[in-house]
């Protein structure tokens, strides 16, 4: 069994790919926009464009961002739960607050 298959089988909630949506983060150096890799009711995955961007997202870091979804903006709070060379997985802290 491939590692990706194992992860999908352990997944509690389904995730949906959203290649055109974006998340905007505010860092000390300024704003950074990342593409949304996938979205679920529990969190969101983002795609990194540069190798060094992984350093912006240490596991356990709490952050706030603006999610642009279908033309609407949602202000959300998240915590970094997973990192990979070109992606980051974030869990929503209080998803109902964005609604």
């Amino acid at each position: 069994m491939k590692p990706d298959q194992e992860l999908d089988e352990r997944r509690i909630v389904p995730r949906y790919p959203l290649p055109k949506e974006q998340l905007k983060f505010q860092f000390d150096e300024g704003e950074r926009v990342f593409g949304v890799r996938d979205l679920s009711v529990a969190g969101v995955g983002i795609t990194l464009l540069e190798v060094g961007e992984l350093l912006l997202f240490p596991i356990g870091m709490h952050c706030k961002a603006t999610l642009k979804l279908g033309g609407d903006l949602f202000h959300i709070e998240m915590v970094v739960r997973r990192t990979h060379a070109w992606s980051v997985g974030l869990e929503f802290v209080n998803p109902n607050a964005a609604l």
Side-chain angles (χ1 to χ4, degrees):
M1 184 178 295
K2 295 179 183 177
D4 290 341
Q5 288 174 326
E6 291 176 16
L7 181 62
D8 288 340
E9 289 179 12
R10 291 182 295 178
R11 185 163 292 286
I12 296 170
V13 294
R15 61 182 175 184
Y16 302 96
L18 294 170
K20 296 181 180 178
E21 308 304 335
Q22 299 177 333
L23 259 177
K24 184 189 296 183
F25 292 85
Q26 188 69 39
F27 295 101
D28 292 338
E29 310 84 42
E31 292 181 348
R32 294 250 184 139
V33 177
F34 297 93
V36 174
R37 181 183 173 108
D38 54 60
L39 179 71
S40 74
V41 295
V44 63
I46 61 171
T47 301
L48 304 177
L49 299 174
E50 299 176 16
V51 176
E53 291 175 332
L54 189 60
L55 298 174
L56 296 171
F57 299 98
I59 292 179
M61 180 185 92
H62 284 261
C63 53
K64 293 181 181 180
T66 302
L67 173 64
K68 182 181 177 190
L69 186 62
D72 294 321
L73 298 178
F74 300 91
H75 302 287
I76 53 177
E77 187 175 345
M78 300 165 292
V79 61
V80 177
R81 294 294 183 204
R82 177 190 60 78
T83 60
H84 191 266
W86 296 102
S87 64
V88 174
L90 302 119
E91 179 182 14
F92 297 132
V93 173
N94 186 0
N96 294 329
L99 300 178

